[in-house]
Amino acid sequence: MAFRAVVSRVYRGEISADIVGKPKVWYSISGLLLVFSIAGLLIQGLNFGVEFKGGSVFTFGASSHSIEQVRGAVTGAGAHQAIVQKAGDDWRVTTESLSSQQVTEVKQNIAKELSVPADKVSTQVVGASWGGEIQSKAWQALVVFMILIIAYLSVAFEWRMALAAVVALVHDLVITAGVYAWSGFEVTPATLLGFLTILGYSLYDAVVVFDMIKEVTKPLTPTSKITYSEAANQALSSTLVRSLNTSLVAILPVAAILFIGTTLFGAGTLKDLSLSLFVGMIVGTYSSICVATPLLVQLKEREPKYVQLRQNLARREASAKRQAKAAKAGAAVDDTLADDVPEDTAGDGDVPAGVTVRKVVQQGPRQQPKRGTRTQRRSK
Protein backbone atom coordinates (compact mmCIF):
# COMPACT_ATOMS: atom_id res chain seq x y z
CA MET A 1 0.00 0.00 0.00
CA ALA A 2 2.86 2.36 0.80
CA PHE A 3 4.40 1.71 -2.62
CA ARG A 4 1.10 2.43 -4.35
CA ALA A 5 0.74 5.65 -2.37
CA VAL A 6 4.22 6.81 -3.40
CA VAL A 7 3.60 5.96 -7.06
CA SER A 8 0.27 7.77 -6.94
CA ARG A 9 1.89 10.89 -5.49
CA VAL A 10 4.62 10.83 -8.12
CA TYR A 11 2.02 10.41 -10.86
CA ARG A 12 0.06 13.41 -9.55
CA GLY A 13 3.25 15.48 -9.41
CA GLU A 14 3.15 15.91 -5.63
CA ILE A 15 6.68 14.58 -5.13
CA SER A 16 9.65 14.21 -7.44
CA ALA A 17 11.30 10.85 -8.08
CA ASP A 18 15.08 10.74 -7.75
CA ILE A 19 15.71 9.10 -11.12
CA VAL A 20 18.92 10.92 -12.01
CA GLY A 21 20.47 10.11 -8.66
CA LYS A 22 20.25 6.32 -9.14
CA PRO A 23 22.00 5.56 -12.44
CA LYS A 24 23.40 2.22 -11.24
CA VAL A 25 19.90 0.86 -10.69
CA TRP A 26 18.74 1.76 -14.20
CA TYR A 27 21.96 0.63 -15.86
CA SER A 28 21.68 -2.72 -14.08
CA ILE A 29 18.12 -3.21 -15.34
CA SER A 30 19.14 -2.24 -18.86
CA GLY A 31 22.15 -4.56 -18.68
CA LEU A 32 19.95 -7.51 -17.76
CA LEU A 33 17.52 -6.73 -20.58
CA LEU A 34 20.36 -6.41 -23.07
CA VAL A 35 21.91 -9.71 -21.98
CA PHE A 36 18.52 -11.40 -22.31
CA SER A 37 18.01 -9.90 -25.78
CA ILE A 38 21.50 -10.67 -27.10
CA ALA A 39 21.16 -14.24 -25.85
CA GLY A 40 17.92 -14.56 -27.81
CA LEU A 41 19.56 -13.23 -30.96
CA LEU A 42 22.48 -15.63 -30.62
CA ILE A 43 20.52 -18.71 -29.54
CA GLN A 44 17.19 -18.37 -31.34
CA GLY A 45 18.01 -15.88 -34.05
CA LEU A 46 15.51 -13.80 -35.97
CA ASN A 47 12.86 -15.61 -38.00
CA PHE A 48 13.11 -13.64 -41.24
CA GLY A 49 10.09 -13.76 -43.48
CA VAL A 50 10.00 -14.76 -47.09
CA GLU A 51 10.48 -11.15 -48.14
CA PHE A 52 14.04 -11.26 -46.75
CA LYS A 53 15.27 -14.82 -47.32
CA GLY A 54 13.22 -15.70 -50.38
CA GLY A 55 10.70 -18.47 -50.84
CA SER A 56 7.21 -19.31 -52.06
CA VAL A 57 3.95 -18.28 -50.43
CA PHE A 58 0.59 -20.05 -50.87
CA THR A 59 -2.60 -18.38 -49.65
CA PHE A 60 -5.98 -20.11 -49.78
CA GLY A 61 -9.18 -20.53 -47.81
CA ALA A 62 -9.80 -23.83 -46.01
CA SER A 63 -11.10 -22.91 -42.59
CA SER A 64 -12.49 -26.37 -41.87
CA HIS A 65 -9.07 -28.04 -41.94
CA SER A 66 -6.37 -28.17 -39.26
CA ILE A 67 -2.79 -26.97 -39.36
CA GLU A 68 -1.48 -30.54 -39.72
CA GLN A 69 -3.73 -31.20 -42.73
CA VAL A 70 -2.64 -27.96 -44.42
CA ARG A 71 1.05 -28.66 -43.79
CA GLY A 72 0.68 -32.22 -45.07
CA ALA A 73 -0.97 -31.03 -48.27
CA VAL A 74 1.93 -28.68 -49.00
CA THR A 75 4.82 -30.97 -48.02
CA GLY A 76 3.21 -33.92 -49.78
CA ALA A 77 3.86 -32.21 -53.09
CA GLY A 78 7.64 -31.95 -52.57
CA ALA A 79 8.08 -28.86 -50.37
CA HIS A 80 10.52 -29.56 -47.53
CA GLN A 81 9.78 -26.58 -45.27
CA ALA A 82 6.30 -25.29 -44.58
CA ILE A 83 5.47 -22.50 -42.12
CA VAL A 84 1.70 -22.42 -41.69
CA GLN A 85 -0.09 -19.33 -40.39
CA LYS A 86 -3.78 -18.60 -39.95
CA ALA A 87 -4.87 -15.20 -41.28
CA GLY A 88 -8.59 -14.84 -40.58
CA ASP A 89 -10.39 -17.54 -42.56
CA ASP A 90 -7.40 -18.08 -44.87
CA TRP A 91 -4.21 -20.09 -44.56
CA ARG A 92 -0.80 -18.65 -45.42
CA VAL A 93 1.91 -21.25 -46.05
CA THR A 94 5.53 -20.25 -46.63
CA THR A 95 8.03 -22.68 -48.14
CA GLU A 96 11.55 -22.56 -49.54
CA SER A 97 12.04 -21.23 -53.05
CA LEU A 98 10.29 -23.54 -55.52
CA SER A 99 10.46 -23.76 -59.27
CA SER A 100 7.44 -23.03 -61.44
CA GLN A 101 6.76 -26.75 -61.87
CA GLN A 102 6.96 -27.37 -58.12
CA VAL A 103 4.59 -24.45 -57.44
CA THR A 104 2.07 -25.97 -59.86
CA GLU A 105 2.37 -29.37 -58.18
CA VAL A 106 1.80 -27.87 -54.74
CA LYS A 107 -1.30 -26.04 -55.95
CA GLN A 108 -2.72 -29.21 -57.44
CA ASN A 109 -2.04 -31.19 -54.26
CA ILE A 110 -3.70 -28.52 -52.12
CA ALA A 111 -6.76 -28.63 -54.38
CA LYS A 112 -6.86 -32.41 -54.14
CA GLU A 113 -6.23 -32.87 -50.40
CA LEU A 114 -8.17 -29.89 -49.06
CA SER A 115 -10.93 -29.67 -51.68
CA VAL A 116 -9.96 -26.15 -52.69
CA PRO A 117 -10.24 -25.04 -56.33
CA ALA A 118 -6.80 -24.62 -57.85
CA ASP A 119 -7.64 -21.14 -59.13
CA LYS A 120 -8.43 -20.08 -55.54
CA VAL A 121 -4.87 -20.79 -54.39
CA SER A 122 -2.84 -17.59 -54.57
CA THR A 123 0.92 -17.96 -55.04
CA GLN A 124 3.85 -15.61 -54.64
CA VAL A 125 7.49 -16.44 -55.36
CA VAL A 126 10.20 -14.23 -53.86
CA GLY A 127 13.80 -14.70 -54.96
CA ALA A 128 16.62 -14.81 -52.43
CA SER A 129 18.45 -11.98 -54.21
CA TRP A 130 15.46 -9.68 -53.82
CA GLY A 131 15.24 -10.51 -50.12
CA GLY A 132 18.94 -9.75 -49.68
CA GLU A 133 18.45 -6.42 -51.40
CA ILE A 134 15.61 -5.61 -48.99
CA GLN A 135 17.89 -6.34 -46.03
CA SER A 136 20.62 -4.12 -47.46
CA LYS A 137 18.18 -1.26 -48.02
CA ALA A 138 16.86 -1.63 -44.48
CA TRP A 139 20.36 -1.34 -42.97
CA GLN A 140 21.13 1.66 -45.18
CA ALA A 141 17.94 3.37 -44.04
CA LEU A 142 18.83 2.72 -40.40
CA VAL A 143 22.34 4.18 -40.80
CA VAL A 144 21.04 7.28 -42.60
CA PHE A 145 18.40 7.72 -39.90
CA MET A 146 21.03 7.59 -37.14
CA ILE A 147 23.26 10.10 -38.93
CA LEU A 148 20.38 12.53 -39.38
CA ILE A 149 19.38 12.15 -35.73
CA ILE A 150 22.90 12.86 -34.50
CA ALA A 151 23.18 15.90 -36.77
CA TYR A 152 19.83 17.31 -35.71
CA LEU A 153 20.37 16.88 -31.98
CA SER A 154 23.91 18.25 -32.19
CA VAL A 155 22.60 21.43 -33.84
CA ALA A 156 19.39 21.81 -31.82
CA PHE A 157 20.97 20.88 -28.47
CA GLU A 158 24.56 19.63 -28.21
CA TRP A 159 26.65 16.56 -28.94
CA ARG A 160 26.22 15.12 -25.43
CA MET A 161 22.45 15.03 -25.84
CA ALA A 162 22.87 13.52 -29.29
CA LEU A 163 25.11 10.78 -27.89
CA ALA A 164 22.70 10.00 -25.04
CA ALA A 165 19.75 9.81 -27.45
CA VAL A 166 21.59 7.50 -29.88
CA VAL A 167 22.61 5.18 -27.02
CA ALA A 168 18.95 5.01 -25.96
CA LEU A 169 17.88 4.25 -29.56
CA VAL A 170 20.37 1.39 -29.90
CA HIS A 171 19.22 0.14 -26.49
CA ASP A 172 15.60 0.07 -27.74
CA LEU A 173 16.48 -1.67 -31.01
CA VAL A 174 18.48 -4.47 -29.40
CA ILE A 175 15.86 -5.21 -26.74
CA THR A 176 12.98 -5.20 -29.25
CA ALA A 177 14.92 -7.46 -31.60
CA GLY A 178 15.66 -9.79 -28.71
CA VAL A 179 11.99 -10.07 -27.83
CA TYR A 180 11.28 -10.89 -31.49
CA ALA A 181 13.94 -13.61 -31.40
CA TRP A 182 12.56 -15.28 -28.24
CA SER A 183 8.93 -15.01 -29.41
CA GLY A 184 9.64 -16.57 -32.82
CA PHE A 185 7.55 -13.96 -34.61
CA GLU A 186 8.34 -13.59 -38.29
CA VAL A 187 10.27 -10.50 -39.32
CA THR A 188 8.42 -8.91 -42.24
CA PRO A 189 8.42 -5.48 -43.89
CA ALA A 190 5.68 -4.55 -41.42
CA THR A 191 8.18 -5.29 -38.64
CA LEU A 192 10.62 -2.81 -40.15
CA LEU A 193 7.90 -0.19 -40.23
CA GLY A 194 7.29 -0.85 -36.55
CA PHE A 195 11.00 -0.49 -35.79
CA LEU A 196 11.21 2.86 -37.57
CA THR A 197 8.10 4.01 -35.72
CA ILE A 198 9.49 3.16 -32.30
CA LEU A 199 12.75 4.94 -33.14
CA GLY A 200 10.82 8.10 -33.87
CA TYR A 201 8.68 7.66 -30.77
CA SER A 202 11.66 7.09 -28.49
CA LEU A 203 13.43 10.09 -30.00
CA TYR A 204 10.38 12.28 -29.47
CA ASP A 205 10.23 11.38 -25.79
CA ALA A 206 13.94 12.04 -25.33
CA VAL A 207 13.75 15.42 -27.07
CA VAL A 208 10.90 16.53 -24.79
CA VAL A 209 12.93 15.66 -21.69
CA PHE A 210 16.15 17.20 -23.05
CA ASP A 211 14.40 20.43 -23.97
CA MET A 212 13.09 20.82 -20.42
CA ILE A 213 16.53 20.02 -18.98
CA LYS A 214 18.13 22.61 -21.24
CA GLU A 215 15.65 25.25 -20.10
CA VAL A 216 16.01 24.49 -16.37
CA THR A 217 19.82 24.23 -16.35
CA LYS A 218 20.48 27.27 -18.52
CA PRO A 219 20.57 29.79 -15.58
CA LEU A 220 23.06 27.70 -13.57
CA THR A 221 26.28 29.50 -12.59
CA PRO A 222 29.18 28.65 -10.23
CA THR A 223 27.30 30.50 -7.48
CA SER A 224 24.01 28.60 -7.88
CA LYS A 225 22.52 26.69 -4.97
CA ILE A 226 21.83 23.38 -6.80
CA THR A 227 23.98 21.13 -8.96
CA TYR A 228 23.33 20.20 -12.58
CA SER A 229 22.12 16.76 -11.45
CA GLU A 230 19.55 18.24 -9.09
CA ALA A 231 18.31 20.70 -11.71
CA ALA A 232 18.06 17.95 -14.34
CA ASN A 233 16.11 15.75 -11.93
CA GLN A 234 13.66 18.60 -11.31
CA ALA A 235 13.20 19.01 -15.07
CA LEU A 236 12.69 15.27 -15.52
CA SER A 237 10.15 15.16 -12.69
CA SER A 238 8.16 17.97 -14.29
CA THR A 239 7.85 15.99 -17.57
CA LEU A 240 7.46 12.55 -16.01
CA VAL A 241 3.67 12.61 -15.80
CA ARG A 242 3.42 13.88 -19.37
CA SER A 243 5.67 11.09 -20.65
CA LEU A 244 3.74 8.41 -18.78
CA ASN A 245 0.37 9.71 -19.99
CA THR A 246 1.54 9.95 -23.60
CA SER A 247 2.99 6.45 -23.52
CA LEU A 248 -0.09 4.96 -21.91
CA VAL A 249 -2.43 6.51 -24.47
CA ALA A 250 -0.24 5.23 -27.32
CA ILE A 251 0.28 1.72 -25.90
CA LEU A 252 -3.37 0.90 -25.19
CA PRO A 253 -4.56 0.74 -28.85
CA VAL A 254 -1.39 -1.11 -29.87
CA ALA A 255 -2.02 -3.66 -27.10
CA ALA A 256 -5.58 -4.06 -28.37
CA ILE A 257 -4.28 -4.86 -31.86
CA LEU A 258 -1.66 -7.27 -30.53
CA PHE A 259 -3.68 -9.23 -27.98
CA ILE A 260 -7.21 -8.97 -29.37
CA GLY A 261 -6.75 -8.54 -33.10
CA THR A 262 -4.25 -11.38 -33.50
CA THR A 263 -5.97 -13.85 -31.17
CA LEU A 264 -9.57 -13.27 -32.27
CA PHE A 265 -9.12 -12.29 -35.91
CA GLY A 266 -5.73 -13.86 -36.69
CA ALA A 267 -4.34 -10.76 -38.37
CA GLY A 268 -0.81 -11.90 -39.22
CA THR A 269 0.52 -8.64 -40.66
CA LEU A 270 -0.90 -6.62 -37.79
CA LYS A 271 0.72 -9.06 -35.37
CA ASP A 272 4.18 -8.37 -36.79
CA LEU A 273 3.64 -4.63 -36.67
CA SER A 274 1.94 -4.45 -33.27
CA LEU A 275 4.55 -6.54 -31.42
CA SER A 276 7.39 -4.23 -32.46
CA LEU A 277 5.31 -1.18 -31.56
CA PHE A 278 4.20 -2.58 -28.21
CA VAL A 279 7.67 -3.58 -27.04
CA GLY A 280 9.36 -0.55 -28.57
CA MET A 281 7.03 1.98 -26.97
CA ILE A 282 7.47 0.52 -23.50
CA VAL A 283 11.24 0.23 -23.81
CA GLY A 284 11.48 3.64 -25.50
CA THR A 285 9.66 5.37 -22.66
CA TYR A 286 11.89 3.65 -20.13
CA SER A 287 15.12 4.46 -21.99
CA SER A 288 14.33 8.15 -22.54
CA ILE A 289 13.71 8.61 -18.81
CA CYS A 290 16.03 6.13 -17.10
CA VAL A 291 18.88 5.68 -19.60
CA ALA A 292 19.28 8.76 -21.78
CA THR A 293 18.78 11.33 -19.00
CA PRO A 294 21.18 9.83 -16.41
CA LEU A 295 23.79 9.33 -19.15
CA LEU A 296 23.41 12.96 -20.22
CA VAL A 297 23.80 14.15 -16.62
CA GLN A 298 26.98 12.12 -16.15
CA LEU A 299 28.45 13.63 -19.32
CA LYS A 300 27.46 17.19 -18.34
CA GLU A 301 28.79 16.88 -14.78
CA ARG A 302 32.29 16.53 -16.25
CA GLU A 303 32.22 20.05 -17.71
CA PRO A 304 34.54 22.45 -15.81
CA LYS A 305 31.81 24.92 -14.86
CA TYR A 306 29.61 22.23 -13.35
CA VAL A 307 32.60 20.68 -11.58
CA GLN A 308 33.32 24.11 -10.06
CA LEU A 309 29.67 24.49 -9.09
CA ARG A 310 29.71 21.14 -7.30
CA GLN A 311 32.95 22.05 -5.49
CA ASN A 312 31.56 25.43 -4.42
CA LEU A 313 28.45 23.79 -3.01
CA ALA A 314 30.58 21.24 -1.17
CA ARG A 315 32.67 24.03 0.42
CA ARG A 316 29.56 25.93 1.46
CA GLU A 317 28.06 22.83 3.00
CA ALA A 318 31.31 22.04 4.87
CA SER A 319 31.52 25.62 6.16
CA ALA A 320 27.92 25.52 7.36
CA LYS A 321 28.60 22.25 9.18
CA ARG A 322 31.67 23.72 10.89
CA GLN A 323 29.72 26.77 12.05
CA ALA A 324 26.92 24.60 13.38
CA LYS A 325 29.42 22.38 15.18
CA ALA A 326 31.17 25.39 16.75
CA ALA A 327 27.88 26.88 17.90
CA LYS A 328 26.88 23.55 19.42
CA ALA A 329 30.24 23.26 21.21
CA GLY A 330 29.88 26.80 22.65
CA ALA A 331 26.43 26.02 23.96
CA ALA A 332 27.78 22.87 25.62
CA VAL A 333 30.54 24.88 27.42
CA ASP A 334 28.01 27.36 28.77
CA ASP A 335 25.91 24.51 30.12
CA THR A 336 28.96 22.97 31.83
CA LEU A 337 29.90 26.25 33.56
CA ALA A 338 26.36 26.66 34.79
CA ASP A 339 26.44 23.15 36.25
CA ASP A 340 29.66 23.93 38.23
CA VAL A 341 27.88 26.35 40.58
CA PRO A 342 26.12 24.48 43.46
CA GLU A 343 22.62 25.40 44.29
CA ASP A 344 22.09 26.97 47.72
CA THR A 345 18.86 25.26 48.59
CA ALA A 346 18.86 26.47 52.21
CA GLY A 347 19.16 30.09 51.26
CA ASP A 348 21.80 30.76 53.98
CA GLY A 349 24.65 31.41 51.61
CA ASP A 350 26.68 28.38 52.80
CA VAL A 351 28.61 26.46 50.18
CA PRO A 352 30.03 22.95 50.62
CA ALA A 353 33.70 22.83 51.54
CA GLY A 354 36.20 22.44 48.69
CA VAL A 355 33.89 23.98 46.16
CA THR A 356 35.00 27.11 44.40
CA VAL A 357 32.25 29.46 43.49
CA ARG A 358 32.67 31.85 40.63
CA LYS A 359 30.87 35.05 41.45
CA VAL A 360 29.89 37.40 38.78
CA VAL A 361 30.20 41.05 39.80
CA GLN A 362 27.93 43.36 37.96
CA GLN A 363 29.87 46.09 36.23
CA GLY A 364 28.74 49.71 36.60
CA PRO A 365 29.59 53.03 38.29
CA ARG A 366 31.00 52.68 41.82
CA GLN A 367 28.65 53.89 44.55
CA GLN A 368 30.39 56.50 46.81
CA PRO A 369 29.12 57.22 50.38
CA LYS A 370 27.15 60.36 50.74
CA ARG A 371 29.09 63.29 52.13
CA GLY A 372 27.20 65.84 54.23
CA THR A 373 27.13 69.56 53.80
CA ARG A 374 30.06 71.73 54.87
CA THR A 375 28.17 72.87 58.05
CA GLN A 376 27.54 69.26 59.05
CA ARG A 377 31.20 68.33 58.62
CA ARG A 378 32.32 71.30 60.79
CA SER A 379 29.94 70.31 63.57
CA LYS A 380 31.64 66.88 63.71
Side-chain angles (χ1 to χ4, degrees), residues 233-253:
N233 193 73
Q234 292 178 3
L236 179 60
S237 298
S238 64
T239 60
L240 182 60
V241 176
R242 174 182 176 181
S243 299
L244 294 177
N245 285 336
T246 304
S247 301
L248 182 61
V249 170
I251 289 172
L252 285 177

Side-chain angles (χ1 to χ4, degrees), residues 166-180:
V166 170
V167 169
L169 290 179
V170 175
H171 169 276
D172 300 343
L173 280 176
V174 174
I175 293 177
T176 306
V179 172
Y180 252 89

